[in-house]
Amino acid sequence: MIEKGALLPMFYLPPVAWFSQLIAHQPDILIENQEHFPKQTYRNRANIYSPDGVLSLVVPVIKGSKVHTPVKDVKISYDFRWQRLHWMSLESCYRRSAYFEYYEDAFAPFYQKRFDFLFDFNEELLRLLLKSVKVPLTPQKTESYQAVYPANVVDLRHSFSSKKEFDLQQKPYFQVFEERHGFIKNLSIVDLLFNQGPQTINYL
């Protein structure tokens, strides 16, 4: 267990605010692995910038696994072809961005290969994101659930909500469809990555 640093939930293509906290508190980062799976959070959804504004990409999970199930045991549902939908959405939203082509070969396999567990899928994606953003970090994972951590550990497990905006002072960067809807803050890190490429780490 870490004695200082930050405790973060595991998200699907996390928002910029999540990454800003990870950067601020590295290298002492602990990822929550044992909590019960909460509904309607970034654990299985990500927001990207579409021609119509914010588009939420949701990874469906198997019904019944939502209640009192440790997040590491939540299984992904493949009842419909969500992977194809997510990849087509990423392509159509970011094909015109400056760096999508630079990263697409690394991201594409995640939308072809099947993962059983949501946590494993998110963890592998996080490894790719850390590598792409150039953050040399391998976060630890919790081994048991703790409701309360020492005062010098920043507990961020409930700080990011898909319904309530995280208080993030964010400097605008170029976004593909900003001429339609203006700058939209705190989208998925892939919005920043595909638009800013190697400059992402400097931005964060």
Side-chain angles (χ1 to χ4, degrees):
M1 189 185 94
I2 59 169
E3 309 204 340
K4 63 184 176 74
L7 175 66
L8 287 160
M10 178 66 87
F11 286 165
Y12 169 53
L13 301 176
V16 170
W18 187 98
F19 253 85
S20 72
Q21 293 301 302
L22 177 132
I23 298 288
H25 295 286
Q26 65 171 330
D28 300 306
I29 300 294
L30 190 63
I31 300 289
E32 178 59 74
N33 187 31
Q34 303 290 330
E35 65 181 353
H36 285 160
F37 180 71
K39 294 181 191 176
Q40 295 186 316
T41 70
Y42 292 119
R43 286 159 184 79
N44 66 323
R45 74 178 57 219
N47 290 336
I48 62 173
Y49 202 149
S50 81
D52 299 318
V54 177
L55 173 66
S56 284
L57 302 178
V58 179
V59 179
V61 297
I62 291 176
K63 286 186 170 57
S65 67
K66 294 181 179 179
V67 187
H68 303 309
T69 303
V71 71
K72 68 180 176 60
D73 295 330
V74 171
K75 289 190 167 185
I76 296 172
S77 170
Y78 292 94
D79 286 347
F80 76 95
R81 297 175 67 188
W82 65 268
Q83 286 175 295
R84 183 169 180 271
L85 176 67
H86 284 210
W87 185 245
M88 285 173 64
S89 299
L90 287 167
E91 274 199 304
S92 63
C93 292
Y94 295 108
R95 177 61 67 196
R96 284 172 49 205
S97 68
Y99 293 97
F100 179 79
E101 286 186 5
Y102 183 78
Y103 296 108
E104 71 172 311
D105 287 348
F107 281 90
F110 286 90
Y111 299 94
Q112 296 155 359
K113 176 187 170 187
R114 284 197 174 199
F115 288 76
D116 288 334
F117 295 98
L118 177 68
F119 191 94
D120 295 345
F121 177 62
N122 288 346
E123 185 177 26
E124 287 295 318
L125 266 173
L126 178 59
R127 284 198 189 109
L128 171 58
L129 287 164
L130 290 169
K131 182 181 173 186
S132 301
V133 177
K134 295 187 167 51
V135 180
L137 178 69
T138 305
Q140 302 175 55
K141 288 179 286 195
T142 55
E143 293 177 3
S144 60
Y145 181 76
Q146 272 186 247
V148 180
Y149 275 76
N152 48 354
V153 173
V154 182
D155 186 348
L156 295 164
R157 287 176 292 184
H158 307 292
S159 297
F160 310 95
S161 167
S162 55
K163 294 181 174 178
K164 181 178 152 215
E165 195 167 292
F166 186 85
D167 185 21
L168 175 70
Q169 299 298 314
Q170 194 177 349
K171 192 172 72 178
Y173 58 87
F174 174 78
Q175 292 173 319
V176 176
F177 300 109
E178 69 180 17
E179 75 280 359
R180 300 190 191 192
H181 306 285
F183 178 72
I184 301 178
K185 57 189 242 190
N186 203 29
L187 293 174
S188 166
I189 188 68
V190 296
D191 184 82
L192 179 58
L193 185 66
F194 295 155
N195 284 304
Q196 295 293 302
Q199 294 303 313
T200 297
I201 186 65
N202 299 332
Y203 178 90
L204 290 167

